């Protein structure tokens, strides 16, 4: 039996050597792009299938509890992402609140500067009218209300 196997093996070796010799004599044939593409596709599909089989095996081991799942990267962890978003929102809220407070002070200052004079004049006119009306009714000037009683607010 070993002799027969050796004879077959030697026959294949001789056949291969003859083919190599013929190829050398004829020169290298030009590679066919279609055959090259088929070989590349075959290798890629084999690699892809092996990788997919490994992933499925890993998923199954995790599913049945024989292996711990791999920790997710911090960028993909939804809780960490939510915490980051909340922190950014709080910073933006604080900035907006500061801007609002500054704008409120600026608006009050502008109103005081622009309309404060007119408001004071209107209030003084009302107080004068009240004094004049009181004098016409009672023929004497009234005593100005004390600050404890509210001052000029009492007049309005």
């Amino acid at each position: 039996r070993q002799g027969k196997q050796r004879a077959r093996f030697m026959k294949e070796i001789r056949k291969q050597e003859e083919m190599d010799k013929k190829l050398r004599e004829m020169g290298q044939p030009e590679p066919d792009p279609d055959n090259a593409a088929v070989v590349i596709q075959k290798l890629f599909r084999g690699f892809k299938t092996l990788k997919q089989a490994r992933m499925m095996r890993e998923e199954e081991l995790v599913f049945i509890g024989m292996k711990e799942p791999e920790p997710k990267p911090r960028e993909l962890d939804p809780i960490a992402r939510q915490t980051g978003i909340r922190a950014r929102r709080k910073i933006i809220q604080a900035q907006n609140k500061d801007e609002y407070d500054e704008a409120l002070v600026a608006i009050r200052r502008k109103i005081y500067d622009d309309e404060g004079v007119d408001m004071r004049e209107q209030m003084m006119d009302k107080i004068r009218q009240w004094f004049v009306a009181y004098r016409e009714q009672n023929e004497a000037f009234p005593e100005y209300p004390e600050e404890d009683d509210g001052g000029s607010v009492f007049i309005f």
Side-chain angles (χ1 to χ4, degrees), residues 113-149:
D113 292 342
D114 295 346
E115 299 176 15
V117 176
D118 294 335
M119 291 172 77
R120 268 188 241 112
E121 286 178 17
Q122 289 175 357
M123 289 173 64
M124 293 298 291
D125 288 342
K126 285 184 181 180
I127 292 172
R128 283 189 198 108
Q129 287 175 358
W130 181 78
F131 271 104
V132 169
Y134 189 89
R135 184 176 145 227
E136 287 176 0
Q137 286 178 354
N138 300 330
E139 296 187 10
F141 281 110
E143 290 187 27
Y144 199 75
E146 298 290 327
E147 280 188 45
D148 296 339
D149 296 335

Side-chain angles (χ1 to χ4, degrees), residues 90-127:
K90 291 297 179 186
I91 290 170
I92 291 170
Q93 283 177 355
Q95 290 172 348
N96 290 342
K97 185 179 183 311
D98 291 342
E99 289 177 20
Y100 172 76
D101 290 340
E102 290 173 8
L104 194 62
V105 169
I107 289 172
R108 282 187 179 159
R109 187 176 307 121
K110 184 175 186 244
I111 289 174
Y112 182 78
D113 292 342
D114 295 346
E115 299 176 15
V117 176
D118 294 335
M119 291 172 77
R120 268 188 241 112
E121 286 178 17
Q122 289 175 357
M123 289 173 64
M124 293 298 291
D125 288 342
K126 285 184 181 180
I127 292 172

Side-chain angles (χ1 to χ4, degrees), residues 7-148:
R8 262 189 257 135
F9 181 66
M10 291 304 286
K11 188 177 177 183
E12 286 178 23
I13 289 176
R14 275 189 225 113
K15 193 176 180 182
Q16 184 67 35
E17 286 176 354
E18 286 176 18
M19 288 181 75
D20 289 343
K21 188 177 181 183
K22 284 182 186 178
L23 283 175
R24 272 186 262 136
E25 288 173 0
M26 291 175 28
Q28 281 288 358
E30 224 174 275
D32 183 24
D34 292 335
N35 287 339
V38 168
V39 170
I40 291 172
Q41 287 174 355
K42 184 171 36 170
L43 289 172
F44 179 75
R45 287 180 182 148
F47 173 76
K48 186 177 171 186
T49 304
L50 284 174
K51 187 174 179 181
Q52 188 177 13
R54 267 192 225 117
M55 286 181 58
M56 289 174 63
R57 191 177 313 121
E58 293 291 321
E59 288 174 2
E60 184 177 354
L61 288 174
V62 169
F63 178 72
I64 61 176
M66 293 183 65
K67 185 176 178 185
E68 287 289 321
E70 293 183 20
K72 292 181 181 177
R74 183 145 169 70
E75 305 88 44
L76 299 178
D77 185 22
I79 295 173
R81 188 167 172 253
Q82 177 188 6
T83 305
I85 290 171
R86 180 172 286 154
R88 282 194 301 267
R89 282 184 186 164
K90 291 297 179 186
I91 290 170
I92 291 170
Q93 283 177 355
Q95 290 172 348
N96 290 342
K97 185 179 183 311
D98 291 342
E99 289 177 20
Y100 172 76
D101 290 340
E102 290 173 8
L104 194 62
V105 169
I107 289 172
R108 282 187 179 159
R109 187 176 307 121
K110 184 175 186 244
I111 289 174
Y112 182 78
D113 292 342
D114 295 346
E115 299 176 15
V117 176
D118 294 335
M119 291 172 77
R120 268 188 241 112
E121 286 178 17
Q122 289 175 357
M123 289 173 64
M124 293 298 291
D125 288 342
K126 285 184 181 180
I127 292 172
R128 283 189 198 108
Q129 287 175 358
W130 181 78
F131 271 104
V132 169
Y134 189 89
R135 184 176 145 227
E136 287 176 0
Q137 286 178 354
N138 300 330
E139 296 187 10
F141 281 110
E143 290 187 27
Y144 199 75
E146 298 290 327
E147 280 188 45
D148 296 339

Side-chain angles (χ1 to χ4, degrees), residues 1-9:
R1 193 169 13 145
Q2 289 177 351
K4 288 181 184 179
Q5 280 182 343
R6 184 157 195 235
R8 262 189 257 135
F9 181 66

